Amino acid sequence: MTVAIATWNINSVRLRLPQIVRFLKERRPDILCLQEIKCPNEHFPIAALREAGYAHIAVNGQKAYHGVATLSRRPFAEVETLSFCGKQDARHLAVSFGVEAGADLAGLTLHNFYVPAGGDIPDPQANVKFAHKLDFLAEMRAWSRRRRGDGAALLVGDLNIAPLETDVWSHRQLLRVVSHTPVEVENLNAVQAAGAWVDVVRAEIPPDQRLYTWWSYRARDWAASDRGRRLDHIWASPALAGRVVAAEVVKEARGWPRPSDHAPVVARLKL
DNA sequence: ATGGTCGGCAACCGA
């Protein structure tokens, strides 16, 4: 048997509830990590998602902005949130699994991240949001270094950076666009190296193939213009990396009625 | 070259 782990920036969990339920029913992932839920914990639609088969739900929400949640068919042993840059932003949620979740999931820790988007101007002097993004990545790097070698772990979420040339529709045209600037890519690569994280999606889908997880709402026809970016990621600790048997971007979900601007990403592991 | 669209929440901010 395999375990399917999914991540999806949902851009309002309340507005997108029908799309989430559709995805869960069609794909039946064991775990779904959501970002940009955009609601406080008390407004999260727990009952509807439990009814869809996900009895175990951890939420780190806040009013109007950001917010992450993790839904699971199997029970959590522990739930933890981290703060970054001395802010109260809800951008991280960790869950871990014990033997009561099954022998395959036991010992796994799953980190769900929503990295700051960084605003429009790729200059930390001129744009405090870009400075915050770089600071956040620096803290992620230090945290990754500390937890390195600390057993079976996954790091998933909207990292808001497309690192490879084939992760964007035009490398040349996006070099000065926030999400694909060299300084962001260097910082993301430093986070990855510090934790010895393996990009399991690119291990399964070769880097010479273009792959996107986000398409702007502003395009007249998102599919026809296909000006996408790969902002959403699934990384594994070294011990788990060899266990990944498949990875996929569920692009069709971007074409459903009233979609999120992000598509879900799914990795399947044989644990 | 520029502006284009969403969501939250009640005027714009953030993406």
Side-chain angles (χ1 to χ4, degrees):
Chain A
M1 277 300 288
T2 58
V3 171
I5 313 282
T7 180
W8 196 4
N9 178 317
I10 203 62
N11 188 16
S12 172
V13 67
R14 289 174 291 178
L15 199 69
R16 228 67 75 184
L17 184 60
Q19 293 86 333
I20 297 172
V21 170
R22 177 175 176 180
F23 174 73
L24 294 174
K25 287 195 186 316
E26 290 185 7
R27 298 288 176 147
R28 298 185 58 81
D30 294 276
I31 302 163
L32 172 62
C33 295
L34 297 171
Q35 301 86 36
E36 278 210 273
I37 63 171
K38 288 187 170 175
C39 71
N41 291 3
E42 59 268 27
H43 291 158
F44 192 89
I46 285 181
L49 292 167
R50 282 202 176 130
E51 210 168 302
Y54 294 77
H56 310 282
I57 299 177
V59 185
N60 180 17
Q62 68 180 78
K63 185 180 177 182
Y65 300 107
H66 325 312
V68 291
T70 300
L71 322 178
S72 173
R73 308 180 77 89
R74 319 238 210 121
F76 308 131
E78 285 179 71
V79 175
E80 182 191 12
T81 61
L82 296 174
S83 299
F84 288 82
C85 306
K87 290 176 179 280
Q88 296 310 305
D89 292 354
R91 295 184 179 276
H92 169 268
L93 178 63
V95 298
S96 61
F97 298 90
V99 289
E100 62 281 357
D104 49 357
L105 280 184
L108 171 70
T109 301
L110 172 58
H111 294 278
N112 177 358
F113 271 94
Y114 177 50
V115 171
D120 290 329
I121 303 164
D123 174 358
Q125 313 290 338
N127 173 9
V128 293
K129 286 186 253 180
F130 195 74
H132 177 221
K133 185 176 196 174
L134 298 182
D135 290 345
F136 193 99
L137 292 164
E139 284 195 19
M140 273 183 87
R141 178 185 187 172
W143 166 81
S144 281
R145 193 184 299 114
R146 288 196 302 274
R147 75 142 308 282
R148 181 180 190 149
D150 197 22
L154 294 168
L155 188 166
V156 313
D158 179 2
L159 305 185
N160 263 316
I161 297 170
L164 304 181
E165 295 192 13
T166 50
D167 290 339
V168 293
W169 65 275
S170 168
H171 169 63
R172 190 180 60 82
Q173 289 183 254
L174 287 174
L175 272 171
R176 281 165 220 84
V177 174
V178 172
S179 72
H180 191 62
T181 64
V183 65
E184 290 170 89
V185 172
E186 281 168 25
N187 277 275
L188 188 71
N189 288 341
V191 174
Q192 201 178 334
W197 298 108
V198 176
D199 178 344
V200 301
V201 175
R202 276 313 192 182
E204 292 298 311
I205 302 170
D208 62 342
Q209 292 180 32
R210 290 193 185 276
L211 187 67
Y212 315 137
T213 66
W214 172 89
W215 292 261
S216 172
Y217 283 127
R218 295 178 187 176
R220 279 187 213 110
D221 183 334
W222 70 275
S225 61
D226 199 25
R227 294 187 169 192
R229 307 177 199 171
R230 189 172 72 104
L231 304 179
D232 303 274
H233 300 271
I234 300 178
W235 292 355
S237 61
L240 279 186
R243 301 279 185 168
V244 177
V245 296
E248 181 188 2
V249 176
V250 184
K251 186 177 176 181
E252 65 186 68
R254 180 64 178 80
W256 290 349
R258 299 215 69 182
S260 168
D261 44 356
H262 295 251
V265 184
V266 185
R268 196 167 281 282
L269 296 89
K270 190 167 175 54
L271 296 173

